Amino acid sequence: SEFCYDIELKIALSNYELNKCIVFPVIVRESMWENLPIAELQVVPEGGKPISEWDNEDEAFKHITEKLRNLIIVDRASV
């Protein structure tokens, strides 16, 4: 939505740049995310393959969960 893109995304990326939060883009469906500011971030699933294009969507969600869990553990260790 325009609200998400114009307001929420800008706030999230600003806070990310200030190390106030983690931004974890999840590509759910085919889109033009490569043209958005999130393209500079590490997206999941790896390679930006949308969840909807996986043969087994459960495997995609498992992959995402593992990446998020690792991110949380690494972030907590740096505190």
Side-chain angles (χ1 to χ4, degrees):
S1 73
E2 286 183 37
F3 179 78
C4 288
Y5 183 77
D6 292 338
I7 309 239
E8 292 180 326
L9 181 60
K10 288 179 183 175
I11 292 170
L13 292 176
S14 174
N15 285 331
Y16 173 78
E17 290 173 7
L18 296 170
N19 291 319
K20 291 183 176 182
C21 72
I22 296 170
V23 178
F24 190 78
V26 177
I27 309 303
V28 178
R29 291 189 180 90
E30 186 63 41
S31 64
M32 294 177 56
W33 65 268
E34 297 95 336
N35 299 321
L36 298 175
I38 64 165
E40 299 175 16
L41 305 175
Q42 181 178 358
V43 300
V44 290
E46 284 187 39
K49 180 180 178 181
I51 295 169
S52 63
E53 292 184 9
W54 284 58
D55 291 333
N56 183 338
E57 290 185 1
D58 289 339
E59 285 294 320
F61 285 112
K62 179 182 176 189
H63 169 79
I64 292 165
T65 302
E66 290 170 351
K67 292 291 183 182
L68 181 57
R69 185 170 187 264
N70 290 338
L71 183 64
I72 291 169
I73 290 170
V74 168
D75 189 58
R76 286 181 141 211
S78 67
V79 174

